[in-house]
Amino acid sequence: MPSLPETGAARVTERVVDVAVGVVIRADGAVLLGQRVAGKPYAGWWEFPGGKVEAGESIEQALARELHEELGLDVERSTPWPVRTFVYPHATVRLHFRRVWHWRGEPTARERQAFVWCRPDLIDVAPLLPATVPVLAWLRLPPTYAISAAESLGEARFLAALERALADGLRLLQLREKTLPPDRFESLFYQVRSRCAEHGARLLVNSDHPPSYWHAADGVHLTSAALAGLAERPPLPLVAASCHHADDVARAGRLGADFAVLGPVLPTPSHPGAAPLGWDGFVAAAADAAMPVFALGGLVSTDLADAIDRGAHGIALRSGAWGD
């Protein structure tokens, strides 16, 4: 059996092969996995479909060509996602993942490969190529990441808004209430955690709050200052990071963060002195991110599709999450 690849930077003398990878997402959330055929490295292993980028092609064009040649699918809409480098014994590859949302045709095994539709939380094929495994975790991240607003709304009003949001499908929340007195924050934390648990939502606690809360929740959301001061990932199930520029995004990737939040994209009343990135700045800073990136700052729920088209995993909302 071939040895497993390593992630990270390519060797200095190694030629890096750019590969377009398609995460084809069906309306019910299932994704398409294919099995590598005999005669190829890692024959029998399962992966997302795709192939090498040819001279003169964009990543989008290469993926459309590969999915047509391999599976008979004609891609109508795909959007950028993370970029990861893997060092295999036979090659170093830079995998450019794209989510494929719309296509024409039904998958056909044009190369006589096996393929299956699987839910990301219920994969029943093996072995999976290592590059495939983190993608399954990315797929379990919802498109909206909410940030609490108890300080501005008041605890009672915020908890009522949280109940409504959870009932409407909110599944990822950051608790960030830096000015609440410790006793009030503690009370709020346990009420929020209980409500999130009832709905199957994951709860992160901002790193400005004591680490005991991180460990009592699902993980931590690192401020950009905390991110800059860490040499290794905190030992928690879920780690996120706030980023303001490309260097932050790269640092979060090296740390092994599960996702990042990048902004502000647009002007925000809460940070009137902060210069917004704008969408062009967001695209530039998030390019080649090694993990999913949420767009933050001045956004509302109707900005979601535009954010995804620009390479965001989704959007992070504070006031916009609570109808305020």
Side-chain angles (χ1 to χ4, degrees):
M1 178 181 296
S3 59
L4 296 179
E6 301 174 353
T7 59
R11 293 183 289 269
V12 174
T13 58
E14 187 77 24
R15 173 177 172 265
V16 178
V17 178
D18 286 297
V19 176
V21 184
V23 182
V24 183
I25 304 172
R26 207 166 58 182
D28 63 359
V31 293
L32 189 64
L33 291 173
Q35 189 176 37
R36 293 179 66 84
V37 298
K40 288 187 175 182
Y42 297 91
W45 292 59
W46 293 83
E47 63 179 353
F48 291 101
K52 296 178 184 178
V53 179
E54 296 183 352
E57 284 185 320
S58 68
I59 303 302
E60 183 178 12
Q61 290 167 340
L63 180 61
R65 174 183 52 76
E66 287 286 346
L67 292 186
H68 178 78
E69 292 174 356
E70 291 183 14
L71 294 163
L73 300 181
D74 293 316
V75 176
E76 295 182 326
R77 181 187 176 222
S78 72
T79 58
W81 220 20
V83 179
R84 299 287 292 269
T85 298
F86 281 76
V87 181
Y88 289 86
H90 67 286
T92 297
V93 295
R94 183 164 46 230
L95 304 178
H96 300 260
F97 293 96
R98 291 183 70 90
R99 287 184 286 183
V100 180
W101 304 100
H102 302 297
W103 64 91
R104 296 190 308 276
E106 292 296 327
T108 303
R110 290 186 166 183
E111 297 181 352
R112 299 185 179 179
Q113 75 276 37
F115 61 83
V116 293
W117 290 99
C118 295
R119 282 176 42 191
D121 59 345
L122 192 63
I123 300 296
D124 55 3
V125 294
L128 297 172
L129 274 182
T132 300
V133 175
V135 182
L136 301 176
W138 302 342
L139 285 162
R140 292 193 288 271
L141 290 172
T144 300
Y145 180 35
I147 302 167
S148 66
E151 293 165 335
S152 58
L153 297 178
E155 287 105 305
R157 186 178 170 196
F158 166 67
L159 288 169
L162 176 61
E163 286 277 13
R164 292 192 296 270
L166 290 167
D168 288 342
L170 176 67
R171 292 297 178 263
L172 188 62
L173 172 69
Q174 177 193 162
L175 186 59
R176 177 186 178 275
E177 303 294 342
K178 298 182 182 182
T179 64
L180 278 186
D183 58 335
R184 287 169 59 188
F185 180 81
E186 181 175 12
S187 173
L188 179 68
F189 169 78
Y190 286 110
Q191 292 181 76
V192 169
R193 188 181 69 168
S194 174
R195 286 163 171 78
C196 287
E198 288 174 6
H199 290 272
R202 287 183 283 181
L203 174 64
L204 299 182
V205 176
N206 187 275
S207 62
D208 278 346
H209 296 295
S212 58
Y213 291 109
W214 316 350
H215 291 273
D218 295 295
V220 64
H221 182 107
L222 301 169
T223 65
S224 57
L227 171 65
L230 287 177
E232 59 184 28
R233 174 193 166 106
L236 294 163
L238 201 57
V239 175
S242 287
C243 299
H244 302 300
H245 44 69
D247 288 346
D248 286 344
V249 174
R251 186 177 295 113
R254 292 192 298 271
L255 189 73
D258 296 288
F259 66 91
V261 171
L262 176 62
V265 176
L266 303 176
T268 63
S270 58
H271 296 84
L277 293 168
W279 280 117
D280 288 345
F282 175 89
V283 170
D288 298 335
M291 72 269 130
V293 177
F294 287 81
L296 169 71
L299 306 178
V300 295
S301 58
T302 53
D303 291 314
L304 178 60
D306 285 343
I308 288 174
D309 281 341
R310 290 172 167 88
H313 177 85
I315 53 177
L317 301 175
R318 187 171 182 267
S319 59
W322 315 116
D324 185 45

